[in-house]
Structure formats: C-alpha cells, structure tokens
Amino acid sequence: MLRSMTGFGRAETQVGDKTISVDIKSLNGKQLDINLKMPPLLKPYEFDIRNLIQQTLQRGSVEVMVTVKQNGTAKPVTINTLLARQYYHTIASLAGELQLPQTDILNALLKLPEVVAPAAEELAEEEWEAVKQVFTTALQKTDEHRQNEGGTLEQDLELRIRNILLLQEKVQAQEPARRERIRSRLEASLQENTPKENLDQNRLEQELIYYVEKLDISEEQVRLSNHCRYFKEVLETPEFSKGKKLGFILQEVGREINTTGSKANDAAIQQWVVMMKDELEKAKEQVLNVL
C-alpha cells in the first residue's frame, strides 16, 4: 500500500492541571522538513519530539502546533525583589527631589517591567510520558490519513500505467504496416531519383535494411513494457517509502516514449505517443505526493 505525504492528525490529553493538544499537518516535500511550534515548557524535549516525528512520517513538509492550556488554577509567579529594590530607590529619590508623596509606591513597583514574571515551569517525568503518548496518537492519526490518501494515489497510478500499455498495444499493432510503408517510400524514392541502369539491387537492399532498422522501435517497446511491469511490481512491494523509486522508473518510461515518438515517422503512432505522454505527466504529478 502506498502512503501519501499529505495527512492530518490531532490529539489532546490532560496532564495535571494542563490540557495539551497536538495538531500535525503534512504536505509533500523532497526531504523531511519539520516546522515545530510549541511553548517553552516543552523546549527541553524538542529533540525527542523531532525524533518521534521523523520515525513515523520520514518525509514531507510537516507543520506541528503544540498548545498548552492552564486549567482552573492561576499560573505561579515570582517577584524579582532585587530589581524591585533598585526601582524603589530610584523612584524614592526622584520623589524626594520633586517633593512628591510616596503613597501606594508598592502598587506602582509591581507594574514595572520584569518585576513580576511567570515562574519557570517544568514537566515531571510522568507528565512527559503523557505528552509523548499524545504525540504518538497524533502521529498515528496522521499516518492513517496518509495511508487512506495513498490508496487513492495507487489506484490512479495503476490506471495511468494501464492506459500507457493499452496505447502501446496499438503502436505494436501498427508497427508491421509502418515498416512496410517506410520501406516502400524509400524504395520508390530511390527508383525515382536513380537511373535504372545505375541501380544496384544488392546495394539497394542493404540501404533499405539500414534505414528500416534505424527507424525500428521494437527495442523501445520491449524496454517500455519492462519499465511498466517493474513500476507495478514496486507498487506491490511492502516498502514503507518508495515515491523516489517510482519517480525514477517514470523517467525511464518517459525516455522510451520520447524515443518512440522521434523514430515513429507515422501519424497514428505520433498521436498515441502524445496520449502516452499525457498519461505519464499525470502519473508524475501523483508520484510527487507519494512517500
């Protein structure tokens, strides 16, 4: 089963007096690119969180949003007494110089910058285990979404390869008549432009064989069939990540289709080649989303 790089997952848990929620959104990308937004409370565990994401998602552009909501009780605070004293001496000195009353000076001090600040919070070990579990749940949901999207991608890719092979059958059915037309045109052209008494039948036969073989597309058709078969085999393998490999195979498919078109010298085959290219481009667009 293929996995898409597109997915979404969300999970939430209660840790003590806090509610922690994790939202994960994944899009396609060449490598793993993690945009992690979380509160300072979880900063000590950033390396572990990134490892969890890498192990599960492996590739793609991943955006992770972690929010922490305090429930019920107020957040603890600390008072920077040293800074408050410095503020007090400065204010008291200024009030004395200006002969102003010093009433309610404490209230004014508490409003000054950095005098009152939230106390530094830390997660206990059992709280971190609960947070790790909510991350795991969110990642599992994202991976399930990726698998569902991957099933749709797989069906579409199978359809594109099947269409290419059906068009190839038309090319192969046309091939004998195409070769005969090329041979007839070359023979007629040589006879028309070369005097009969100067015409060497053995040399003519050699030249005809040379040009017909030069325009032969049988090798391209064999390789195209092999590449399409290999593509379907890779689709069925249990590999976790195979988007890049599928992309490389499609490049080879495209090379054989292009060579067939350049050597065909036949209007009907050229039309089928164009249709093959259209199916190939659709497959390439889908493979960009495959993990």
Side-chain angles (χ1 to χ4, degrees), residues 106-205:
L106 180 61
N107 186 44
L109 283 174
L110 294 177
K111 294 178 181 178
L112 291 172
E114 298 181 14
V115 173
V116 179
E121 295 182 83
E122 293 183 358
L123 283 181
E125 185 60 32
E126 60 273 13
E127 290 179 324
W128 161 240
E129 290 301 322
V131 172
K132 189 159 62 172
Q133 184 56 51
V134 79
F135 260 100
T136 302
T137 303
L139 287 166
Q140 287 173 347
K141 289 181 178 179
T142 306
D143 189 49
E144 288 171 6
H145 193 173
R146 281 178 151 197
Q147 288 185 52
N148 293 334
E149 290 287 324
T152 303
L153 288 177
E154 186 168 351
Q155 291 177 3
D156 189 78
L157 287 169
E158 286 174 345
L159 174 64
R160 302 305 163 194
I161 294 300
R162 189 160 60 248
N163 289 344
I164 289 173
L165 290 173
L166 288 172
L167 290 164
Q168 186 193 23
E169 288 178 7
K170 295 183 178 181
V171 171
Q172 290 173 331
Q174 179 78 359
E175 175 62 4
R178 181 191 78 97
R179 289 172 64 96
E180 187 56 38
R181 279 198 300 272
I182 292 173
R183 183 185 180 91
S184 298
R185 283 201 305 267
L186 286 170
E187 192 171 22
S189 178
L190 284 170
Q191 290 177 349
E192 182 181 340
N193 294 286
T194 306
K196 225 172 196 183
E197 58 274 12
N198 295 335
L199 197 61
D200 185 337
Q201 288 297 330
N202 290 331
R203 182 59 185 272
L204 172 61
E205 193 66 25

Side-chain angles (χ1 to χ4, degrees), residues 51 165 178 192 227 253 285:
N51 275 344
L165 290 173
R178 181 191 78 97
E192 182 181 340
H227 294 326
V253 170
E285 287 176 11

Side-chain angles (χ1 to χ4, degrees), residues 10-156:
R10 188 176 197 280
E12 189 173 273
T13 190
Q14 190 82 20
V15 182
D17 60 350
K18 306 174 187 68
T19 298
I20 297 180
S21 59
V22 177
D23 292 270
I24 300 174
K25 183 172 69 174
S26 171
L27 299 172
N28 65 309
K30 291 184 178 180
Q31 306 296 332
L32 180 64
D33 180 20
I34 303 173
N35 181 12
L36 181 58
K37 299 177 182 177
M38 61 184 184
L41 177 69
L42 293 172
K43 282 294 182 182
Y45 303 98
E46 182 174 352
F47 182 76
D48 298 298
I49 290 170
R50 287 183 178 273
N51 275 344
L52 283 173
I53 296 168
Q54 183 175 7
Q55 289 167 12
T56 305
L57 302 184
Q58 293 195 6
R59 193 159 74 98
S61 179
V62 182
E63 185 175 316
V64 181
M65 174 73 74
V66 186
T67 56
V68 178
K69 186 188 299 181
Q70 191 82 23
N71 299 321
T73 58
K75 291 184 179 180
V77 297
T78 58
I79 297 177
N80 189 333
T81 54
L82 181 61
L83 182 61
R85 287 193 184 96
Q86 291 175 345
Y87 277 138
Y88 171 75
H89 292 308
T90 303
I91 293 170
S93 175
L94 180 61
E97 290 178 12
L98 299 176
Q99 298 181 352
L100 296 174
Q102 298 185 26
T103 56
D104 203 17
I105 195 168
L106 180 61
N107 186 44
L109 283 174
L110 294 177
K111 294 178 181 178
L112 291 172
E114 298 181 14
V115 173
V116 179
E121 295 182 83
E122 293 183 358
L123 283 181
E125 185 60 32
E126 60 273 13
E127 290 179 324
W128 161 240
E129 290 301 322
V131 172
K132 189 159 62 172
Q133 184 56 51
V134 79
F135 260 100
T136 302
T137 303
L139 287 166
Q140 287 173 347
K141 289 181 178 179
T142 306
D143 189 49
E144 288 171 6
H145 193 173
R146 281 178 151 197
Q147 288 185 52
N148 293 334
E149 290 287 324
T152 303
L153 288 177
E154 186 168 351
Q155 291 177 3
D156 189 78

Side-chain angles (χ1 to χ4, degrees), residues 204-248:
L204 172 61
E205 193 66 25
Q206 290 174 1
E207 292 296 325
L208 287 173
I209 292 171
Y210 170 76
Y211 282 107
V212 169
E213 287 183 348
K214 189 175 181 182
L215 296 174
D216 181 59
I217 58 173
S218 57
E219 288 186 12
E220 286 76 11
Q221 296 310 295
V222 170
R223 288 195 294 267
L224 177 57
S225 296
N226 290 338
H227 294 326
C228 288
R229 185 178 66 251
Y230 184 44
F231 187 90
K232 291 193 289 185
E233 288 174 0
V234 172
L235 277 182
E236 295 169 2
T237 61
E239 291 180 58
F240 188 85
S241 177
K242 46 192 172 183
K244 289 183 178 180
K245 182 182 289 186
L246 292 173
F248 295 145

